[in-house]
Amino acid sequence: MSVDCPRCTPPKLLREMVHRLGRSATLSGSGEAAVTGISQDSRLVRAGDVYAALPGRHRHGIEFAVEAASRGAVAMLSDRESDVLPTIVVDDPRLLLGPLAAWVYGNPSESLDVYGVTGTNGKTSTAYLLDAGLRAAGVATGMMTGITVRGPNGSRTATRTTPEACELQQTLAAFAEHRTGAVAMEVSSHGLALHRIDGTSFRVGVFTNLARDHLDFHPDMDAYFAAKARLFEPGHCAAAAIGIDDEFGRRLAATVTVPRVTFSSRCTAADVHASAVHADEGGTSFTLHGAGARTPVRLRLLGVHQVDNALAALAALAARGVDLDAAVAGIENLDTVPGRLEAVHAGQPFLAFVDYMHNTAGQRRLFPYLRSLTRGRVIAVVGATGERDPGKRVPLGATAARFADTVIVTDESPYSDDAHSLREDVARGARSGGDAEVLVLPDRAEAIVAAVTLAAPGDVVVVAGRGHDRVQAYGPRRRVFDDRVALHDALRRLVAG
Ligand SMILES: CC(=O)N[C@H]1[C@@H](OP(=O)(O)OP(=O)(O)OC[C@H]2O[C@@H](n3ccc(=O)[nH]c3=O)[C@H](O)[C@@H]2O)O[C@H](CO)[C@@H](O)[C@@H]1O[C@H](C)C(=O)N[C@@H](C)C(=O)N[C@H](CCC(=O)O)C(=O)O
Ligand SMILES: Nc1ncnc2c1ncn2[C@@H]1O[C@H](COP(=O)(O)OP(=O)(O)OP(=O)(O)O)[C@@H](O)[C@H]1O
């Protein structure tokens, strides 16, 4: 089922759109076209759409004007003239697209409580926790994460962590049409830097944490932080829930001008904080302090880092005045975030997990927890994904080797990068990082089999880096590969003998 089905009814006239854009816009051709939608991908254009032909890193959308027209586009928005369709010409169409798409679809976020979660780690988990808390509080929810887009009228696999502006507004409009009360969504730094969320009103912006990542896209950490901080500008969100366990969160909390609630799993000065944190192989307990309450909480989610994410969700819900007692019950019942410390059982005499950790900040939070579960060894399958910040690779190997007894380096998704050099960078880090035994096995399935074969009763195995991802990408080639399935198969064969 599709979750994105709205059309703008009644249609808007193209000349109204031009008027809305003001003097910055000129129109070539008739302004009488009736507009019922807007899209920035010619392959997704539907009859009655305006096609936004945007300049890109690789191509210019104007190259696809004929295709857009063939699919029923009635006009274009671009920074270039065209005689294919009536065209609204503006200097920076990507900058204007978000608010324009919101207007086309009736500004849907204004009739929804949209919670936007940004940060380096924890966005997906916090979005799932927000959704669980809101549903338990009786709110009909929609959710947009890098895993799934789910609403009252269906769900689909996500193609982006944060959708592009037109798709985002279409989805929000579909949620609003189906009497959704609140939406929990991830807001990536790409989504902020590329203006995908412009035109969306967030009731609460949530900041989880910030550590080195995505420096393939942002020139440096300050630019990365500045992109994240955009979410908390008054024009984007009405309130903020900010984690203060790192310097960037503390800086943000000191500078935001919207009402804010701080949270921390370590600092009791935070508005919402935790004490008595205890993580074991069955779940995670803590005492919640905040909003005048001290509440014992027992998460089914594994790992102390999920206390941070639960606090993020609860601080955001407190900022919005949601019933925390009901929300806590919902958060306690959430048993899995796909690919995030998912335990895999096949009767083996040791613990085995799949996790999405893919930066050193995540490794430093998770490995100590994994170590706490065993008196035996920690065996980690690690790698590095291609077309990402090359500066991550060596540290990923070094940090894994600091905490694990055995590190098995293998392929994740190299994309257009050379798989051998990806592995060698990670292995070089692992060999320098500690006393760990280091193996290099290019084939991921073989690496997983090796990990479970090496494991002794009581050990811990973690297959890291890909989480929920079901597709492995080598250049243009794609193959289905789900770590959870591969790990279960390897365990089943091991147990069968
Ligand atoms: C860096 C980045 O995000 N780039 C995005 C950007 O690409 P671009 O500006 O270079 O566009 P382009 O590919 O040159 O195409 C130019 C224009 O032609 C259009 N086009 C293109 C082909 C066609 O057949 N028809 C058509 O209309 C495109 O929609 C685009 O508007 O606009 C494209 C169109 O929307 C996106 O597909 C593309 O995402 C790329 C593929 C991508 O990989 N993005 C990732 C990095 C991303 O966004 N990741 C974050 C999460 C990061 C994380 O947390 O890990 C996310 O929010 O998903
Ligand atoms: N609060 C946290 N602090 C540190 N690491 C975390 C935290 N939450 C999750 N992680 C680690 O980060 C990984 C990704 O978690 P999650 O998907 O919730 O975050 P995310 O911000 O959506 O990540 P991405 O943007 O890469 O999808 C987890 O598998 C775990 O290893």
Side-chain angles (χ1 to χ4, degrees), residues 175-193:
F175 287 164
E177 268 181 15
H178 291 83
R179 288 181 299 286
T180 304
V183 178
M185 68 173 282
E186 291 190 58
V187 181
S188 64
S189 58
H190 292 75
L192 285 153

Side-chain angles (χ1 to χ4, degrees), residues 117-128 145-147 161 186 188 208-209 213-214 224 228 263 266 304-310 312 337-341 354-366 392 464-465 467-468:
V117 188
T118 197
T120 300
N121 288 319
K123 297 187 296 298
T124 306
S125 303
T126 301
Y128 271 75
T145 70
I147 298 174
T161 297
E186 291 190 58
S188 64
T208 58
N209 49 61
D213 209 344
H214 302 305
Y224 181 30
K228 297 283 191 186
F263 63 88
R266 304 164 218 170
V304 288
H305 62 291
Q306 293 294 15
V307 174
D308 301 11
N309 299 331
V337 178
R340 279 70 178 166
L341 264 196
V354 166
D355 187 68
Y356 190 29
M357 69 174 110
H358 54 284
N359 53 55
T360 54
Q363 290 178 310
R364 289 195 300 271
R365 283 296 263 149
L366 268 78
K392 288 173 64 174
H468 67 287

Side-chain angles (χ1 to χ4, degrees), residues 164-447:
E164 289 283 10
C166 300
E167 183 185 332
L168 171 55
Q169 297 304 326
Q170 287 166 13
T171 304
L172 291 175
F175 287 164
E177 268 181 15
H178 291 83
R179 288 181 299 286
T180 304
V183 178
M185 68 173 282
E186 291 190 58
V187 181
S188 64
S189 58
H190 292 75
L192 285 153
L194 292 170
H195 299 283
R196 297 177 186 169
I197 57 93
D198 293 10
T200 301
S201 302
F202 292 90
R203 289 284 182 272
V204 186
V206 184
F207 179 89
T208 58
N209 49 61
L210 200 81
R212 175 178 177 141
D213 209 344
H214 302 305
L215 296 192
D216 50 296
F217 179 70
H218 303 285
D220 52 39
M221 284 300 292
D222 283 338
Y224 181 30
F225 174 64
K228 297 283 191 186
R230 283 195 69 231
L231 178 61
F232 303 92
E233 292 166 1
H236 286 135
C237 79
I242 300 173
I244 56 171
D245 285 333
D246 65 43
E247 60 160 305
F248 293 102
R250 290 189 288 273
R251 191 193 309 176
L252 187 64
T255 53
V256 293
T257 57
V258 297
R260 55 112 164 110
V261 176
T262 57
F263 63 88
S264 168
S265 62
R266 304 164 218 170
C267 168
T268 57
D271 301 317
V272 175
H273 61 271
S275 65
V277 175
H278 172 74
D280 55 45
E281 67 182 79
T284 316
S285 306
F286 65 96
T287 301
L288 169 68
H289 301 260
R294 281 169 55 96
T295 310
V297 180
R298 175 73 179 171
L299 301 178
R300 297 170 69 181
L301 296 181
L302 301 179
V304 288
H305 62 291
Q306 293 294 15
V307 174
D308 301 11
N309 299 331
L311 291 173
L314 290 166
L317 295 173
R320 185 66 187 137
V322 172
D323 172 6
L324 281 193
D325 289 338
V328 165
I331 278 174
E332 288 182 318
N333 278 332
L334 181 67
D335 62 357
T336 306
V337 178
R340 279 70 178 166
L341 264 196
E342 261 198 83
V344 179
H345 305 290
Q348 78 279 2
F350 51 83
L351 293 171
F353 301 98
V354 166
D355 187 68
Y356 190 29
M357 69 174 110
H358 54 284
N359 53 55
T360 54
Q363 290 178 310
R364 289 195 300 271
R365 283 296 263 149
L366 268 78
F367 273 119
Y369 164 70
L370 296 172
R371 171 64 66 192
S372 75
L373 300 179
T374 179
R375 290 196 180 86
R377 296 181 306 162
V378 174
I379 299 167
V381 175
V382 301
T385 293
E387 294 183 7
R388 297 289 185 271
D389 175 6
K392 288 173 64 174
R393 299 171 188 174
V394 171
L396 278 168
T399 307
R402 219 176 93 202
F403 290 102
D405 300 287
T406 299
V407 173
I408 303 175
V409 181
T410 188
D411 287 351
E412 292 185 353
S413 281
Y415 290 103
S416 59
D417 279 342
D418 174 61
H420 178 264
S421 61
L422 279 167
R423 290 192 304 271
E424 281 311 303
D425 286 351
V426 176
R428 187 165 73 252
R431 292 187 185 108
S432 70
D435 304 331
E437 173 194 21
V438 180
L439 306 174
V440 180
L441 291 171
D443 182 278
R444 194 167 183 88
E446 287 178 19

